[in-house]
Amino acid sequence: MKLSRRMVLKGLGGTMLSLPFLEGLVPRTARAADLGALPYAIFFRQANGVASAQTTSELGAEPERFWPRTLGALTAASSAGRAVDVLKDHLADLLLVRNINMKDYNYGDGHARGAMQGLTARGPVVEGAGGGSESGGESIDHRIGRELNPQQRDSLVFYAGRRGGWLGGPCLSYRSSNVRRAALHDPWNAYQTMIGGPGGLTPEAREQLLVRQRSVNDLVKAQLQSLQQRPELSASDHERLDLHLSNVRDLEVALSCRMRADQELILQQQSPGYDSTDGTEVLATARLHMDIAVMAIACGTNRAAVIQVGNGNDGDTRYRDPDTGQLMENFHYVSHRRTSHDSSGGIITGSDLLHHHVDVQFARAFKHLLDRLVAYQMPDGKRLIEHGVSVWYNDLGNGPAHSARNVPFVLAGSCNGFLKQGVYVEASGGGNPNHNRMLNTIGTAVGLRNAAGGSLDDFGDPALTKGVLSELIA
C-alpha cells in the first residue's frame, strides 16, 4: 500500500509530525528546500520613460542622464553621474540593454501602449481605447507562475500608489487576453497572504509559537535519526523515515519563511503609506513589497513577481526634489515638461533635471531589491541574486515624446549563468520591434520552453519576429 506524504498539525500550542507507519512508500519528487535554487524573475516597473538624451521643441537639447557613457564592460567611470550610478555596488551583476523597441500598437495612448504590452508583448483588445484599453494576451510573469510555480500558483503582483487613476491602477499582469489581474496593494495584507494568514495570534504569540515549533522539530529529527541507526529496519523503512525527515525539513522551511515578530510589527506599522501620493511613501511601500517578494522566492514558494509603482501614467505621485526638499509636480507633468497631462500647460523650468531625480529614486529602490537578493545565501553557496533575474524596466523610452523606442531595461542576475553580466549591450533589431524577444529571453532564462521543448521563442504577438536576443546570453 502506498501512502501519501502528510503532515499532522496538532493545534496552535505546538506542532508535531505523526511518525510514519513503516510500510509502503511514495517517492519524493521535490523538496521545498530545493525549490529556492530554481531560476526566478522579478519585474520592477517605472512609468514615463527616463531622462535620456533628446531634443524637444520647447526646451531644446536635453543631456544624457540615464545610460552609461559607453557600451561594453560596466565601470564606475562609465556610469558616474548617470542614474544607473546608484547601482555601482552591483555592477558585476548587471546587464544593461539599450535599443529595446516596442511595437507602436494603436492603444490610443502612449502610456496604455507601454504599460499593457510591457509584460505581454501584445496589442490592444480594442484599438484606440486609451484609458479603457486592455492587453490582448497573457503576461510573462503569469506564464512563469502557471508553468513553473509549485502547484501552478499565480505569480505575485504588487502595486504601490494611489488606487484607481489612469488605466485603473494595476495594469501590467494578465491571465489571458482581456483578463487583467488584480494586485496586492497593502504590504501587510500581501505578507499575510504569503504566509497563509495571521491565525488570530498577536506578534508575541506568533514568536512563541515559532520557537516552540522549532524546538519540536529539533527533537523529532534527533529521535528519527536515532531510529535510523537501528539494524533491524528494512531498506523500505529507511526510505520511509527519510521521507518523514523531509517533512520535518519542509516544515522548518515554512517556519523560517516569515519575519520575526518585531519585523512583522514594523511592516504592519509602515504599510499604511501604500495608498499615498507622496513619492517617498510610495517607494517605501515598493521596498516592502520587494522584501516580501524576495522572501517568497528564497523560500521556493514563487518564481515570479511584478512590482508596479503608480498608476498607468503615475499621474498622482509627487516625488521629492532633493535640491529643495519639496514635492515636485506629479510625475506625469514632469515627464511632459508641462503643468498638464497634455501639451497645453506651461513649461516646468528644469523639468528634465527633475525627471532625472525621479530616475535616481527608482534606481535606489531597485538597489534595495538587489541588496536583499545578495543578502540571501542559498544552500548551494550562491547568492540568491545569481539564481534569477531582476528587471527594472519602463513603459516608455523617454518623457515628452512617449517613445516606444529604446525602452530602458536594466537586468540584474544571471539566472544560473544563462545571462551575461557586468556589461552594457545594444540589442539587435535596429528600429524593428524586438521587445517580445526580450521577454522570450527572460522567459527562457527562467525555464520556460516552446511547444517543441526549445528556447521560448514565440511569446507575445505571433505577428512579431520570433526568437531570443542572443547578445544577452552568456
Side-chain angles (χ1 to χ4, degrees), residues 67 95-97 100 391-393 407-411 435 438 442:
W67 297 103
L95 172 59
L96 274 62
V97 188
I100 295 297
V391 185
W392 170 26
Y393 79 100
V407 177
F409 271 78
V410 178
L411 282 60
H435 162 251
M438 167 61 86
I442 294 170

Side-chain angles (χ1 to χ4, degrees), residues 269-445:
Q269 291 171 338
Q270 291 179 342
S271 288
Y274 65 89
D275 197 33
S276 176
T277 60
D278 184 319
T280 302
E281 295 180 350
V282 171
L283 286 175
T285 297
R287 290 182 175 92
L288 294 177
H289 287 322
M290 290 172 177
D291 292 345
I292 297 167
V294 171
M295 179 179 293
I297 286 168
C299 294
T301 62
N302 216 296
R303 293 176 61 181
V306 177
I307 302 163
Q308 177 181 334
V309 176
N311 58 32
N313 60 18
D314 206 358
D316 292 321
T317 314
R318 300 178 64 192
Y319 298 95
R320 201 167 295 276
D321 182 348
D323 295 332
T324 66
Q326 302 299 310
L327 292 174
M328 312 174 197
E329 285 285 0
N330 74 75
F331 185 30
H332 190 223
Y333 279 14
V334 170
S335 74
H336 270 281
R337 313 293 191 255
R338 290 181 175 274
T339 55
S340 66
H341 291 298
D342 52 27
S343 59
S344 64
I347 295 174
I348 302 174
T349 303
S351 50
D352 60 326
L353 180 58
L354 297 180
H355 195 151
H356 169 68
H357 289 328
V358 176
D359 294 341
V360 168
Q361 292 175 54
F362 271 84
R364 288 174 181 153
F366 190 59
K367 180 180 183 297
H368 175 88
L369 172 62
L370 305 190
D371 289 344
R372 288 292 185 268
L373 292 168
V374 166
Y376 276 82
Q377 295 291 323
M378 302 307 290
D380 62 359
K382 294 182 180 179
R383 304 165 301 160
L384 182 55
I385 194 173
E386 299 172 70
H387 284 296
V389 59
S390 298
V391 185
W392 170 26
Y393 79 100
N394 212 296
D395 291 347
L396 306 170
N398 53 16
H402 288 15
S403 176
R405 300 190 60 180
N406 200 27
V407 177
F409 271 78
V410 178
L411 282 60
S414 69
C415 266
N416 293 321
F418 184 86
L419 298 169
K420 290 180 179 178
Q421 298 280 267
V423 292
Y424 173 33
V425 303
E426 181 166 317
S428 60
N432 298 319
N434 58 5
H435 162 251
N436 64 311
R437 286 186 280 153
M438 167 61 86
L439 298 185
N440 276 321
T441 306
I442 294 170
T444 299

Side-chain angles (χ1 to χ4, degrees), residues 9-15 198-201 205 208-210 212-213:
L9 305 180
K10 295 186 176 180
L12 291 175
T15 300
L201 299 178
Q208 292 176 2
L209 176 59
L210 295 185
R212 184 179 300 178
Q213 287 169 324

Side-chain angles (χ1 to χ4, degrees), residues 242-259:
D242 182 65
L243 172 60
H244 195 66
L245 277 167
S246 296
N247 280 334
V248 175
R249 286 193 292 270
D250 285 356
L251 182 57
E252 288 180 313
V253 170
L255 292 173
S256 65
C257 289
R258 65 182 299 162
M259 300 176 181

